[in-house]
Amino acid sequence: MALRLDWALSVVVWLGALLLAAGLARRLALWRQGQPAPVAWSGLLAMPRRYFVDIHHVVAREPAIARAHVMTAGGAVAILLALGVNYGLMRYWPVLDVVTLACAVAMFAGAWQVRARRRAPPARLSRGSWNRLPYSLLLFAAGIALIMALFLLGPFALSRMFGRALAALAGIGLLLGGAELVLGIGIAGPMKHALAGLAHLAFHPRPERFGGRSTGLRPLDLRRPGLGVARAADFAWNRLLSFDACVQCGKCEAVCPAYAAGQPLNPKALIQGMVAAFAPGGPEYAGNPHPGQPQSSAGAVHADIVGSVLAAETLWSCTTCRACVEACPMLIEHVDTVIDLRRHIALNRGDVPGKGSEALANLRYTDTVGGHALAARHHWAVDLDIRVLGEGMNADWLLLVGEGGFDMRYQRALRALVTVMRRAGLDVALLGAAETDCGDLARRLGDEAGFQRLAATLIATLNRYRFAHIVTPDPHLFHCLKNEYPAFGGNFDVHHHSQLLAELIDRGALSLTAPASGGGSVTFHDPCYLGRYNGGFDAPRRVLRGIGVTVVEMPRSREDSRCCGWGGGAAFTDIPGARRIPDMRMDDIRASGAGRVVVACPNCSAMLEAVVGPRPEVIELAEWVAERLAVDVP
Amino acid sequence: MSGNVERPRIAVLVSPAVHPVSGRACAGAADLAALALGQALVASGAPDVFYAGAAPDSALADYLAHGCRRLLVLRHEPDQDVSASLAAAVRPYDLVICGIRSGGGMSSGLLPYQLAELLGRPLLPGLAELSLDSGTVRGAQSLPQGEQRLLEAGFPVLASVHPRAATARPWRFAGLAQGRIEVTPATGCGLTECAFEPERRALPLRAARAERGHERMLQAIAAGDGQAAGLVVNQGDSVEKAQVVLDYLRHHQLVDY
Ligand code: SF4
Ligand code: SF4
């Protein structure tokens, strides 16, 4: 009798393996609808490290559920391995039964905690089949534990009526719970995430992000027809795979500024929309929809994504702030998805909403966002007697001003920066009318053609001049030059002004003799393109510490900072929501109790300055440093 | 009346403009309106588009981006009169639409008149609106001070349109690759000598009474001397004040509810 049960379990193990393989093959066929993409098979070897290091890095921010997951998933994997060896290969070693039993107990305990959380789930979690999952896991763990216990007790246990009844019960639990595990990927159930997630780790579209930062957008080949992604099959196959890794945890939803503002964008629904687009007919999405939009409908592989699974406004609401990417435990790249879809609209249909089209036309004809004459960019500096770099001249530091040069408020910050740099004895020069836009806005709005033209223009200009370093107070310009120009042959030593100021203060190159003005507490607003995009969290804080300012941190600071609402051209497309993002950020600032907020970006400055008062005062980093020098900013 | 009433042949004339800030070549606002009208009136959405002159193809690319599928260029040497070759090229068309003036070059706005003269056809100039009705072109000519004059003429006919006459299709990068420019060499005689004279200023309107606006407003709202019709309400809450305004509007039949 006992022997026959052993065999039965062996049959079940093999059946499970076959079903799992069949499900995987089915999903693979769906992924292969995508475009070919070069992937390194070495990714498979790197998978464990990526799992235990990179994912852990994100998951550990929520320790309780992370522990529960380790117990559940670790237990399940160990059980499957042990069953495979012991029963799949028909070894029937009792010692492995003991191991399996222990793992089953651990898994049960983990799944129990998951179930406890599911009873009052945070709003960001999806419901539907995800609510079923902890029960399936509990059934599976309990079934395995019982069977192992019965095996260990030996034939004696099974010779009793009670024992047989227990065995039958355990068998049913094992089958029901096991079905969730082995069929998950085939029927696109919640357990799809396990295999898809591991494969996604191995074949991640941005392998450079492991052990580093990879935030620059990928160049688009403008000679190839199509231009961007219209249908699901236009994505590379490993991008389709990445969408399948989503566990619908909604961490992206919880941090998305556009979602919080009631704009029609929910990053989780966005990713699930992509899944619906390449694998129609899967289980219905049971999470929050894009605000103000009907629950997304089923897609069709050959239908345009925009107009079927999502509306264009969803794409244009994104500020490309990367808060979602930073929060995602499955390392999914939402911003790349948004940009690929935007590219198709901008390049093929040209209908960028709001002021977006106008800004793109300005860039096309004047190389400035606002449609200004290039020479006007440096009007703020006419009386500063600052050198304009000419051909054949030499400068140590080239100051790239960016669009902030046209903004009367930001010109104060620029003058302060020049003053500080000169006091530190730096040799600084401007580009004058030769400075053209870096193309950040064009690229984020999907106008890759406009971006590539602007990038080529600025790279050619910069290559004509002789200078050692570039400094800019604009994190968007900084990001473009540092992370996106190398793909176009532009390699420059570029610094954000916060980094330069921190270095000057650390070196003691500035004599900070004037007393700091104003009392009250101060907070710092991390610009997305300096922080999440470039890891520039410490430099601005070092500067503030260096000038004797104590920063009260907002709960949403550093990696968790909330966007000011400008990024990605969102201030131009201006998709209506229930609230405005800068107002919400100002509420964060108010809640910190600070009377002043320090910014380090012309766009954050413009967005936060535009919040109606009474509100905390907005100060640029360089302005405060200049205040501590015993000179007046001219 | 000649031409095909059901499927009229429509030509659109365009030329490069100069961007007012950067001086770069771009599409002219009025020519874009002409192109948009042509696109709307031709069943295929792709009217025949002509340019005559010396500008390089790159200066015309914007029209392709705005949805022009085929741009026929009569390539002249610089500083030549293009009206004769253009007239010959557009003679087979029932309706020729162009912008009221180009956004570059001399921008004299004379070309439509020259063409009309050479072709012996009527010209409906400066239209803010254009529609076709079985061989008849109707349009509203936009005049200063917002006045309009309705014009109409039968095929074949020319029309020059105001930049506001139609909204151009959006600029699309993909359009650059989808449209093509076909160049035919053309010759013309040298430009006729012309004398420039300053634009004559329209006479400013005179107010009926020689008072400043502020004084007129004061008279309108002055109360107390019994003369003016005005009424100052500074008592009561906002609902009561609004009621006074509403009564006034009703009394003068300015609202009908
Ligand atoms: S995309 Fe990432 S963060 Fe968002 S729900 Fe899916 S797994 Fe969670
Ligand atoms: S990048 Fe920012 S705005 Fe865009 S979806 Fe992610 S969190 Fe939302």
Side-chain angles (χ1 to χ4, degrees):
Chain A
M1 174 77 191
L3 204 59
R4 295 227 308 271
L5 251 191
D6 287 357
W7 288 356
L9 193 51
S10 294
V11 171
V12 168
V13 166
W14 277 104
L15 195 67
L18 281 179
L19 283 174
L20 192 66
L24 183 60
R26 180 157 178 238
R27 214 63 198 170
L28 241 143
L30 289 173
W31 299 335
R32 288 189 48 185
Q33 298 171 102
Q35 302 296 307
V39 291
W41 292 99
S42 59
L44 281 173
L45 294 178
M47 204 165 68
R49 193 192 140 77
R50 290 173 182 179
Y51 184 82
F52 288 111
V53 177
D54 297 275
I55 287 207
H56 184 78
H57 199 71
V58 183
V59 181
R61 289 177 209 159
E62 236 187 319
I65 193 69
R67 262 197 313 277
H69 186 268
V70 167
M71 284 162 74
T72 320
V77 168
I79 290 170
L80 293 181
L81 283 178
L83 285 183
V85 171
N86 214 15
Y87 293 89
L89 303 180
M90 303 173 78
R91 288 293 115 105
Y92 310 131
W93 292 322
V95 53
L96 268 185
D97 285 348
V98 175
V99 172
T100 312
L101 175 60
C103 292
V105 171
M107 181 180 170
F108 191 90
W112 188 261
Q113 289 170 38
V114 176
R115 188 204 68 111
R117 189 173 74 143
R118 277 280 158 185
R119 304 194 88 169
R124 61 180 166 82
L125 291 180
S126 286
R127 295 157 297 277
S129 53
W130 288 89
N131 279 352
R132 176 187 76 211
L133 181 61
Y135 297 100
S136 312
L137 297 177
L138 285 172
L139 270 181
F140 176 74
I144 286 289
L146 263 181
I147 290 183
M148 290 303 127
L150 287 172
F151 281 172
L152 287 170
L153 288 178
F156 165 73
L158 286 169
S159 61
R160 305 291 148 115
M161 189 61 198
F162 178 67
R164 285 190 213 157
L166 261 190
L169 265 184
I172 292 173
L174 170 68
L175 289 182
L176 285 181
E180 179 85 78
L181 295 188
V182 297
L183 294 178
I185 188 138
I187 61 167
M191 283 315 294
K192 175 185 73 170
H193 83 273
L195 277 185
L198 288 176
H200 171 52
L201 280 186
F203 305 117
H204 198 283
R206 284 179 178 271
E208 315 83 40
R209 73 172 275 173
F210 299 106
R213 220 170 261 277
S214 167
T215 56
L217 293 179
R218 294 287 159 73
L220 177 70
D221 186 351
L222 296 170
R223 290 159 311 186
R224 298 237 328 250
L227 301 171
V229 168
R231 302 159 312 134
D234 296 336
F235 279 115
W237 73 269
N238 57 346
R239 307 275 303 278
L240 297 182
L241 157 63
S242 77
F243 302 138
D244 258 349
C246 174
V247 291
Q248 304 196 31
C249 65
K251 290 191 177 170
C252 52
E253 168 185 318
V255 294
C256 177
Y259 181 79
Q263 288 171 276
L265 165 63
N266 175 347
K268 179 171 85 169
L270 171 86
I271 298 303
Q272 285 309 308
M274 298 304 113
V275 174
F278 82 86
E284 207 157 308
Y285 169 63
N288 295 325
H290 300 297
Q293 303 270 327
Q295 188 67 262
S296 74
S297 60
V301 185
H302 297 292
D304 275 6
I305 290 175
V306 175
S308 64
V309 294
L310 51 78
E313 294 80 62
T314 294
L315 302 176
W316 298 116
S317 299
C318 176
T319 71
T320 68
C321 70
R322 284 186 74 85
C324 50
V325 184
E326 191 74 34
C328 178
M330 303 309 284
L331 314 183
I332 293 170
E333 298 281 343
H334 310 66
V335 175
D336 289 346
T337 310
V338 167
I339 296 291
D340 277 333
L341 290 163
R342 280 187 181 184
R343 281 176 175 172
H344 185 81
I345 300 183
L347 297 173
N348 287 286
R349 312 213 313 236
D351 50 356
V352 180
K355 294 275 178 200
S357 293
E358 194 182 313
L360 292 178
N362 284 339
L363 285 168
R364 190 154 62 238
Y365 299 120
T366 68
D367 294 342
T368 67
V369 173
H372 307 284
L374 285 173
R377 194 192 300 272
H378 292 309
H379 281 175
W380 56 272
V382 279
D383 57 338
L384 289 186
D385 190 26
I386 178 167
R387 274 199 313 148
V388 170
L389 207 57
E391 302 210 21
M393 287 163 64
N394 223 329
D396 214 15
W397 287 91
L398 175 63
L399 171 59
L400 286 187
V401 171
E403 189 74 10
F406 299 112
D407 178 51
M408 303 246 285
R409 161 68 184 88
Y410 205 70
Q411 289 167 0
R412 289 206 319 261
L414 289 167
R415 293 172 75 87
L417 177 60
V418 168
T419 310
V420 174
M421 286 178 73
R422 284 182 161 172
R423 285 292 289 209
L426 299 184
D427 170 32
V428 45
L430 301 171
L431 259 192
E435 183 180 334
T436 49
D437 191 84
C438 65
D440 163 72
L441 181 66
R443 190 166 223 199
R444 305 315 129 182
L445 285 177
D447 181 7
E448 180 72 4
F451 166 74
Q452 290 190 12
R453 183 186 68 78
L454 288 162
T457 309
L458 189 54
I459 290 172
T461 307
L462 292 173
N463 281 336
R464 275 209 312 277
Y465 294 101
R466 288 212 308 268
F467 54 84
H469 325 279
I470 293 175
V471 61
T472 176
D474 184 338
H476 298 260
L477 213 168
F478 170 65
H479 167 69
C480 270
L481 261 72
K482 182 163 173 259
N483 303 318
E484 299 190 346
Y485 277 19
F488 298 93
N491 292 293
F492 308 101
D493 179 39
V494 50
H495 302 247
H496 185 250
H497 77 323
S498 61
Q499 298 165 341
L500 174 63
L501 293 175
E503 203 187 298
L504 291 178
I505 291 176
D506 289 352
R507 266 204 280 131
L510 296 168
S511 66
L512 305 164
T513 43
S517 76
S521 58
V522 177
T523 190
F524 177 70
H525 163 73
D526 285 277
C528 307
Y529 276 72
L530 178 64
R532 278 187 294 266
Y533 273 80
N534 285 292
F537 300 115
D538 293 328
R541 291 177 170 81
R542 249 160 67 211
V543 173
L544 290 170
R545 206 179 315 123
I547 59 174
V549 174
T550 321
V551 174
V552 191
E553 293 289 1
M554 289 180 265
R556 293 198 62 171
S557 64
R558 301 178 71 96
E559 286 94 345
D560 300 326
S561 173
R562 193 206 298 262
C563 178
C564 71
W566 188 93
F572 293 82
T573 52
D574 203 16
I575 302 299
R579 299 200 60 194
R580 292 180 66 250
I581 297 176
D583 291 346
M584 303 183 73
R585 187 53 172 162
M586 193 53 87
D587 284 349
D588 292 347
I589 295 164
R590 283 197 191 100
S592 75
R596 294 167 147 200
V597 54
V598 178
V599 292
C601 168
N603 306 318
C604 299
S605 156
M607 294 304 278
L608 295 178
E609 286 274 13
V611 173
V612 284
R615 54 153 172 78
E617 191 189 349
V618 179
I619 306 179
E620 221 282 344
L621 190 65
E623 286 174 351
W624 214 338
V625 178
E627 224 180 87
R628 296 288 322 275
L629 304 171
V631 287
D632 288 337
V633 174
Chain B
M1 195 164 81
S2 73
N4 185 338
V5 170
E6 289 306 317
R7 301 179 67 87
R9 302 196 61 193
I10 295 178
V12 173
L13 309 185
V14 299
S15 66
V18 174
H19 192 272
V21 174
S22 66
R24 279 189 205 159
C26 60
D31 290 349
L32 275 181
L35 176 63
L37 277 172
Q39 286 165 337
L41 294 174
V42 174
S44 67
D48 288 346
V49 183
F50 290 90
Y51 162 69
D57 288 357
S58 58
L60 296 161
D62 260 3
Y63 291 108
L64 302 186
H66 282 290
C68 166
R69 286 305 176 91
R70 185 159 163 252
L71 178 48
L72 303 151
V73 172
L74 307 171
R75 177 80 83 244
H76 284 257
E77 296 293 315
D79 296 327
Q80 280 187 345
D81 186 346
V82 300
S83 54
S85 71
L86 207 47
V90 301
R91 190 176 290 279
Y93 291 87
D94 301 317
L95 169 61
V96 178
I97 315 175
C98 62
I100 188 167
R101 70 178 76 241
S102 75
M106 305 262 260
S107 283
S108 66
L110 273 182
L111 185 76
Y113 294 94
Q114 287 174 326
L115 284 177
E117 189 176 29
L118 284 169
L119 293 168
R121 293 179 188 177
L123 167 70
L124 309 183
L127 301 187
E129 209 179 274
L130 184 157
S131 61
L132 282 191
D133 182 9
S134 50
T136 306
V137 180
R138 294 212 173 79
Q141 184 184 33
S142 104
L143 296 170
Q145 312 279 338
E147 285 201 64
Q148 295 204 330
R149 179 160 62 182
L150 299 180
L151 304 175
E152 74 174 53
F155 285 162
V157 59
L158 287 86
S160 72
V161 300
H162 197 267
R164 290 285 158 86
T167 310
R169 292 189 187 170
W171 194 97
R172 300 157 51 244
F173 174 76
L176 294 174
Q178 285 159 2
R180 57 180 202 280
I181 296 181
E182 290 168 20
V183 181
T184 329
T187 48
C189 45
L191 285 173
T192 36
E193 281 291 312
C194 49
F196 291 95
E197 56 182 69
E199 185 184 14
R200 256 172 258 138
R201 282 290 190 90
L203 284 180
L205 287 180
R206 263 185 219 301
R209 282 178 290 171
E211 293 152 330
R212 286 181 303 146
H214 183 241
E215 285 156 359
R216 290 204 301 278
M217 187 191 71
L218 282 183
Q219 281 179 16
I221 63 168
D225 61 5
Q227 271 199 343
L231 172 65
V232 175
V233 186
N234 43 22
Q235 308 285 300
D237 64 14
S238 56
V239 175
E240 284 160 8
K241 288 176 187 163
Q243 193 59 48
V244 174
V245 176
L246 193 56
D247 290 344
Y248 178 88
L249 294 175
R250 283 197 176 125
H251 178 74
H252 292 272
Q253 292 175 341
L254 292 167
V255 293
D256 56 359
Y257 57 91

